[in-house]
């Protein structure tokens, strides 16, 4: 008979009310074994795994964050896609913004996961695109905790850094972009525009027809504008992959501030003609708007050939930005495994924000992050919003085809006269 049954039988037996040493010993052993038993999870059927989180944090800290870490700066840069000071800046900001990442004790007074453990697990998913369960063995963090940390981390990054690192160009930014464009032979250029598809592996069955396009698999579209330094100035994400670039452009907020009269003033002269709106270099699929400059398909003559070569070379800036973004954050290169579009949008937006932070921190692009397949808080510049008639006039001005063709002809002459030797 076991000790617990022996104790129960003696308690129930009226003839054994006398407390003796054997009963006291048996009771103490039962209490001791119950107190040493590890607490189980709150979910029915879940098996508790003792992961030794404190040892995991100690090992992680010694590997990367100690004064003399096991893995040096070059290994840290390769595995986290950024230098350690920038990583710690992001982690500290997220920890202050969301107390979920602060070290706490649970109901049984055991220490939880540290902010470094949660952030490292999140970065393993973002940079390598691995499943949430793949981080458990090293970081000592469960799958459900990793997914929750991922969702809260990307939201915190957006809340803290979006206003600064995913801003539309202000007056200073516009002046710098215009100067860079003029140096490269395109006065008035603000960047290059294109779209990228992110495959949605776990797209719900009800949405698969809507999100499947020419890739014959569900995808979500990202529209972006990038400059020569690969800074992404505009990101519009979330439209289904069944749309093309023109459909995305018609729904994009890219020219919203320009229509409202809130965009910075842009004035320049090309070949004797004055222009008051900046433009973006785009592919041939885009419409012939005054704010877009496309290449010349099948160009004839030396001037047109020079222009087509120069336009296609500079337009690759946005494709290079897509390639570097996918190289730094493998999660947006591989198929998306999450189910809800909101989380995917937060992941894409936060990766773009951290991409811009890396561009600001390093200033150059690492050769290993090249495109594989070819492919301070800002105040509004103007306080006044355009009225309805002015809005309609600006709207028509943006889509003026005559201005588009005149601008392209002027750029052909400008490149031929001043920059033809660069592309010979």
């Amino acid at each position: 008979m076991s000790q617990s049954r022996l104790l129960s039988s003696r308690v129930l037996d009226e003839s054994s009310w006398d407390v003796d040493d054997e009963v006291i010993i048996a009771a103490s052993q039962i209490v001791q074994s119950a107190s040493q038993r590890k607490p189980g999870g709150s979910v029915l059927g879940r098996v508790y795994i003792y992961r030794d989180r404190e040892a995991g944090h100690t090992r992680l800290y010694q590997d990367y964050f100690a004064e003399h870490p096991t893995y040096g700066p070059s290994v840290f840069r390769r595995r986290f896609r950024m230098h350690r000071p920038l990583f710690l800046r992001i982690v500290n900001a997220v920890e202050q913004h969301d107390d979920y990442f602060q070290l706490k004790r649970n109901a049984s007074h055991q220490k939880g996961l540290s902010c470094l453990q949660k952030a490292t697990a999140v970065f393993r998913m973002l940079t390598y695109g691995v499943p949430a369960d793949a981080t458990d063995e090293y970081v000592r963090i469960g799958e459900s905790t990793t997914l929750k940390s991922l969702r809260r981390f990307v939201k915190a990054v957006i809340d803290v850094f979006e206003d600064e690192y995913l801003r539309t160009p202000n007056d200073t930014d516009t002046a710098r972009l215009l100067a860079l464009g003029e140096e490269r032979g395109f006065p008035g250029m603000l960047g290059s525009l294109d779209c990228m598809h992110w495959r949605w592996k776990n797209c719900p069955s009800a949405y698969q027809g809507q999100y499947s396009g020419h890739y014959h698999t569900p995808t979500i579209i990202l529209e972006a504008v990038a400059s020569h330094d690969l800074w992404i100035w505009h990101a519009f994400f979330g439209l289904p992959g069944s749309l093309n670039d023109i459909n995305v452009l018609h729904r994009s907020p890219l020219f919203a501030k320009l229509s409202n009269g809130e965009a910075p003033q842009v004035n320049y002269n090309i070949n004797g003609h004055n222009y008051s709106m900046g433009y973006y270099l785009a592919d041939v699929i885009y419409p012939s708007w005054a704010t877009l400059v496309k290449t010349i398909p099948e160009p004839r003559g030396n001037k047109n050939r020079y222009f087509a070569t120069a336009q296609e070379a500079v337009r690759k800036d946005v494709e290079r930005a897509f390639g570097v973004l996918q190289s730094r954050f493998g999660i947006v290169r591989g198929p998306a495994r999450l189910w809800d579009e909101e989380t995917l949008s937060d992941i894409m937006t936060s990766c773009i924000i951290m991409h811009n932070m890396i561009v600001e921190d390093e200033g150059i692009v690492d050769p290993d992050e090249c495109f594989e397949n070819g492919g301070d808080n800002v105040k509004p510049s103007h306080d006044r919003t355009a009225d309805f008639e002015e809005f309609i006039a600006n709207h028509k001005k943006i889509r003026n085809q005559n201005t588009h063709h005149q601008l392209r002809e002027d750029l052909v002459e400008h490149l031929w006269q001043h920059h033809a030797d660069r592309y010979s």
Side-chain angles (χ1 to χ4, degrees):
M1 181 181 297
S2 63
Q3 293 178 344
S4 58
R5 289 186 179 181
L6 177 62
L7 176 62
S8 301
S9 61
R10 292 198 175 190
V11 170
L12 294 176
D13 190 359
E14 294 182 357
S15 61
S16 60
W17 283 107
D18 295 334
V19 179
D20 52 18
D21 295 340
E22 185 178 357
V23 175
I24 294 176
I25 294 174
S28 63
Q29 290 177 348
I30 294 174
V31 172
Q32 184 178 6
S33 62
S35 61
Q36 292 179 348
R37 187 175 56 199
K38 297 179 176 61
S42 58
V43 179
L44 183 63
R46 177 179 294 177
V47 178
Y48 177 82
I49 300 176
Y50 179 68
R51 291 182 168 85
D52 196 3
R53 296 168 176 172
E54 294 188 37
H57 169 78
T58 302
R59 181 174 58 253
L60 174 63
Y61 185 83
Q62 176 58 44
D63 285 346
Y64 295 105
F65 303 101
E67 184 177 358
H68 301 287
T70 304
Y71 302 102
S74 60
V75 177
F76 187 98
R77 171 62 180 80
R78 186 175 72 247
R79 293 178 177 173
F80 289 84
R81 303 298 194 263
M82 61 184 66
H83 295 303
R84 187 170 64 177
L86 178 58
F87 175 83
L88 293 177
R89 175 192 170 192
I90 295 174
V91 170
N92 292 334
V94 168
E95 185 178 12
Q96 293 178 5
H97 180 77
D98 189 349
D99 61 359
Y100 172 78
F101 292 93
Q102 297 176 5
L103 181 61
K104 301 176 183 177
R105 293 183 180 272
N106 58 19
S108 59
H109 300 285
Q110 293 180 336
K111 282 187 177 181
L113 293 161
S114 68
C115 184
L116 289 178
Q117 287 174 287
K118 294 177 180 179
T120 301
V122 170
F123 266 81
R124 285 291 187 268
M125 291 189 65
L126 294 178
T127 57
Y128 288 96
V130 298
D133 189 56
T135 64
D136 188 4
E137 295 171 329
Y138 175 66
V139 184
R140 300 301 185 183
I141 181 172
E143 179 183 9
S144 59
T145 307
T146 303
L147 290 174
K148 184 176 181 180
S149 300
L150 173 68
R151 290 186 171 93
R152 300 190 70 142
F153 186 90
V154 295
K155 283 184 178 295
V157 168
I158 295 172
D159 292 342
V160 176
F161 297 108
E162 183 179 27
D163 291 342
E164 182 175 358
Y165 289 98
L166 197 55
R167 64 182 186 267
T168 55
N170 57 13
D171 292 329
T172 304
D173 298 327
T174 302
R176 185 172 64 86
L177 292 173
L178 292 174
L180 180 61
E182 185 171 3
E183 180 183 351
R184 304 175 73 192
F186 290 90
M189 184 189 71
L190 296 174
S192 54
L193 170 68
D194 205 355
C195 290
M196 181 189 84
H197 289 253
W198 186 14
R199 182 186 168 195
W200 192 1
K201 177 180 180 295
N202 286 337
C203 175
S205 300
Y207 299 156
Q208 289 192 7
Q210 178 184 1
Y211 282 83
S212 299
H214 64 281
Y215 285 95
H216 306 293
T217 185
T219 60
I220 309 177
I221 299 176
L222 167 68
E223 179 194 68
V225 170
S227 54
H228 182 57
D229 58 1
L230 304 187
W231 184 289
I232 298 177
W233 292 100
H234 161 76
F236 178 51
F237 179 80
L239 291 184
S242 58
L243 303 180
N244 59 22
D245 295 3
I246 302 176
N247 305 138
V248 176
L249 180 65
H250 283 292
R251 292 162 174 79
S252 171
L254 178 60
F255 299 116
K257 288 192 174 183
L258 186 59
S259 299
N260 289 330
E262 299 174 353
Q265 295 293 333
V266 176
N267 296 291
Y268 56 97
N269 182 283
I270 304 178
N271 200 31
H273 295 96
N274 295 318
Y275 296 93
S276 59
M277 293 187 301
Y279 59 86
Y280 303 96
L281 301 186
D283 201 352
V284 292
I285 190 177
Y286 282 90
S288 300
W289 290 0
T291 50
L292 299 174
V293 171
K294 304 185 293 182
T295 188
I296 301 176
E298 299 181 2
R300 297 182 179 180
N302 290 335
K303 292 182 180 180
N304 290 338
R305 278 198 285 270
Y306 274 124
F307 171 79
T309 302
Q311 194 273 355
E312 292 168 6
V314 177
R315 190 187 62 80
K316 291 293 183 180
D317 289 345
V318 66
E319 297 186 11
R320 290 173 53 237
F322 287 151
V324 173
L325 177 68
Q326 292 177 335
S327 178
R328 285 174 172 165
F329 300 100
I331 194 171
V332 301
R333 180 175 64 246
R337 289 185 293 268
L338 296 175
W339 296 89
D340 57 307
E341 187 180 353
E342 180 182 357
T343 300
L344 296 179
S345 178
D346 290 339
I347 291 173
M348 178 64 75
T349 304
S350 64
C351 287
I352 293 173
I353 291 172
M354 289 187 289
H355 164 84
N356 286 342
M357 297 178 75
I358 297 172
V359 170
E360 180 191 63
D361 180 60
E362 300 181 2
I364 58 175
V365 178
D366 192 288
D368 295 334
E369 296 175 345
C370 60
F371 187 69
E372 297 177 355
N373 301 316
D376 354 59
N377 297 326
V378 181
K379 297 182 179 178
S381 302
H382 300 80
D383 296 331
R384 186 183 66 84
T385 302
D387 55 26
F388 180 73
E389 294 182 357
E390 186 178 355
F391 176 85
I392 295 299
N394 293 335
H395 189 79
K396 293 180 178 179
K397 188 178 179 181
I398 292 172
R399 289 159 174 77
N400 192 310
Q401 294 188 10
N402 294 330
T403 305
H404 167 82
H405 294 297
Q406 182 64 55
L407 175 61
R408 189 167 68 176
E409 292 177 4
D410 290 337
L411 286 172
V412 169
E413 292 293 333
H414 177 79
L415 281 169
W416 178 255
Q417 295 174 11
H418 299 90
H419 301 272
D421 58 330
R422 296 187 180 184
Y423 307 98
S424 58

